Amino acid sequence: MKEIIVIAELFDGRIQPVTWELVTAGRRIALIAGGSETDVVLVIPSDSPAGPAEEAARKTGCRVAALNIPCCRTYISSVYIEALGQFMAGKGVSHVIAAHTAQGRDF
């Protein structure tokens, strides 16, 4: 099965609780579509993703991709969209899941 990408919601360098709900939704979609929970990839877009990525891996047990966006200490939608697009280019992605927030709607 193709990957299900979950985009973590971060604020002030910390993963927001809605991210854990997104991971659960991704896992359910994977199972309904005939895949497995390992098809879910949690993407941590940040100027310093290592810490949040380690936390996410520990809390969820799913695959985590630390997407380093070094030029952005704060959220700039066009830069994040470009970085996420480059990350997903050429990957087999069936779904992209983001929070229904101002940031998530940008994606």
Side-chain angles (χ1 to χ4, degrees), residues 4-10 15-30 37 39-45 60 62 95-101 103-105 107:
I4 296 172
I5 301 293
V6 175
I7 303 171
E9 181 90 9
L10 282 87
I15 296 174
Q16 297 303 291
V18 69
T19 300
W20 314 130
E21 296 174 27
L22 300 174
V23 169
T24 299
R27 287 178 167 157
R28 288 183 180 160
I29 291 168
E37 292 182 357
D39 296 322
V40 176
V41 178
L42 177 57
V43 179
I44 311 291
T60 66
C62 69
H95 296 77
V96 177
I97 302 172
H100 188 73
T101 61
Q103 181 178 347
R105 284 189 294 265
F107 305 138

Side-chain angles (χ1 to χ4, degrees), residues 8 41-54 56 63-69 84 87:
V41 178
L42 177 57
V43 179
I44 311 291
S46 173
D47 69 318
S48 152
E54 289 173 16
R63 292 186 293 155
V64 176
L67 182 57
N68 189 20
I69 306 175
L84 288 163
F87 172 78

